[in-house]
């Protein structure tokens, strides 16, 4: 087993442990309507309907928030996540999920086939965020939406940004290519959605505290 395989296994195990974390205890700062992570996620995910594609679905942390009537399709490149994800899906009453090993840059779905795409803490890790968003736009039906929750680069010149920039190489190696200083908000604004609405807030995490969450609508 090589180092990358060991890292992927460990990351999958870590993400599965995080499924059991009490997200009500993760507080948010500067978020108008929510004071904890669980309540924000509930608000973003619980009313989704139809065919929902989740990119970078990890170990299935979001199943507890969805309505089980949705048709859930997941894309997850790390094969070691898959069993954890399937177990979590079953625990939360999802018996008919469609899970693919793949990447957001090459979605194995037809044009205009999906009502909603969900991305939670994924655009920081994809190899090519611009291409991933073009793929999301391709598979979304007209009027479909991308629901996102992402950590972002802090404003340049701030201590947090200096820390993000200097720690980035180690951070990427430790957390499976997660970029702590990615300007995801700009990438979303320039992707070609009809509208992008998002709220800024901070999570009580070191380095990756600045966050955005919101909805981008395809014309
Ligand atoms: C920090 S985890 C977040 C997992 C999950 N979305 C959550 O909120 O718990 C980032 C996930 O993105 C996945 N990922 C990395 N590169 C990707 C890519 N190019 N396309 C899709 N998913 C990717 C990783 O394997 C991992 O499962």
């Amino acid at each position: 087993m090589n180092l990358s395989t060991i890292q992927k296994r460990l990351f999958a195990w870590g993400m599965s442990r995080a499924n059991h974390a009490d997200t009500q205890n993760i507080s948010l700062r500067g978020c108008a309507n929510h004071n904890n992570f669980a309540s924000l996620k509930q608000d973003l995910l619980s009313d989704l309907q139809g065919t929902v594609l989740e990119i970078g679905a990890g170990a299935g942390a979001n199943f507890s928030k969805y309505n089980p009537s949705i048709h859930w399709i997941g894309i997850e490149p790390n094969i070691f996540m898959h069993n954890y994800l399937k177990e979590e899906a079953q625990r939360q009453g999802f018996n008919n999920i469609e899970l693919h090993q793949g990447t957001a840059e090459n979605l194995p779905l037809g044009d205009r086939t999906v009502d909603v795409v969900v991305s939670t803490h994924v655009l920081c890790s994809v190899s090519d965020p611009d291409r991933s968003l073009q793929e999301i736009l391709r598979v979304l039906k007209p009027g479909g939406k991308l629901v996102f929750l992402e950590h972002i680069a802090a404003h340049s010149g701030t201590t947090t940004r200096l820390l993000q920039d200097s720690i980035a190489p180690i951070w990427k190696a430790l957390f499976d290519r997660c970029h702590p200083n990615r300007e995801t908000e700009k990438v979303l604004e320039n992707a070609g959605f009809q509208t992008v609405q998002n709220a800024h807030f901070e999570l009580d995490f070191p380095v990756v505290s600045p966050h955005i969450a919101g909805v981008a609508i395809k014309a």
Side-chain angles (χ1 to χ4, degrees):
M1 212 187 301
N2 63 30
L3 184 60
S4 154
T5 307
I6 294 169
Q7 281 178 324
K8 297 237 173 265
R9 268 186 194 276
L10 267 177
F11 192 54
W13 176 82
M15 292 304 298
S16 78
R17 295 299 90 198
N19 283 350
H20 308 296
D22 183 359
T23 49
Q24 286 185 344
N25 280 336
I26 302 176
S27 54
L28 311 181
R29 285 192 307 270
C31 188
N33 301 319
H34 303 281
N35 59 15
N36 71 69
F37 196 50
S39 140
L40 171 68
K41 270 197 161 185
Q42 187 77 26
D43 194 19
L44 288 170
L45 303 179
S46 63
D47 290 336
L48 303 183
Q49 301 282 335
T51 300
V52 176
L53 166 69
E54 183 169 346
I55 60 164
N62 291 333
F63 281 117
S64 64
K65 304 292 183 296
Y66 292 127
N67 184 325
S69 69
I70 61 172
H71 173 213
W72 187 91
I73 305 174
I75 303 293
E76 174 48 57
N78 181 346
I79 195 72
F80 302 112
M81 297 277 188
H82 285 207
N83 278 344
Y84 294 121
L85 185 153
K86 287 177 196 165
E87 281 168 20
E88 182 62 13
Q90 285 221 322
R91 236 191 317 273
Q92 301 297 339
F94 289 78
N95 300 315
N96 257 329
I97 62 166
E98 186 184 325
L99 177 60
H100 301 269
Q101 188 182 18
T103 65
E105 289 88 344
N106 285 296
L107 294 173
L109 298 172
D111 299 356
R112 299 181 293 280
T113 50
V114 166
D115 297 291
V116 183
V117 176
V118 171
S119 173
T120 62
H121 292 143
V122 179
L123 293 173
C124 52
S125 296
V126 299
S127 313
D128 186 337
D130 295 312
R131 178 161 174 177
S132 300
L133 289 170
Q134 291 317 304
E135 275 291 270
I136 289 169
L137 279 163
R138 179 181 68 74
V139 301
L140 275 174
K141 295 176 185 171
K145 61 184 175 183
L146 165 66
V147 176
F148 55 87
L149 164 58
E150 302 286 346
H151 64 76
I152 56 168
H155 291 300
S156 49
T158 60
T159 313
T160 305
R161 181 59 181 269
L162 282 172
L163 179 62
Q164 289 178 335
D165 289 344
S166 47
I167 208 172
I170 301 166
W171 193 268
K172 282 187 235 171
L174 282 177
F175 299 109
D176 201 25
R177 292 169 296 129
C178 168
H179 296 62
N181 53 353
R182 188 167 266 173
E183 299 200 329
T184 298
E185 188 176 13
K186 278 192 196 152
V187 183
L188 276 163
E189 276 164 8
N190 295 330
F193 287 93
Q194 185 174 48
T195 57
V196 181
Q197 288 187 329
N198 62 257
H200 287 248
F201 59 94
E202 303 238 336
L203 230 65
D204 264 340
F205 288 161
V207 183
V208 289
S209 48
H211 271 68
I212 50 170
V215 175
I217 309 276
K218 175 178 168 174

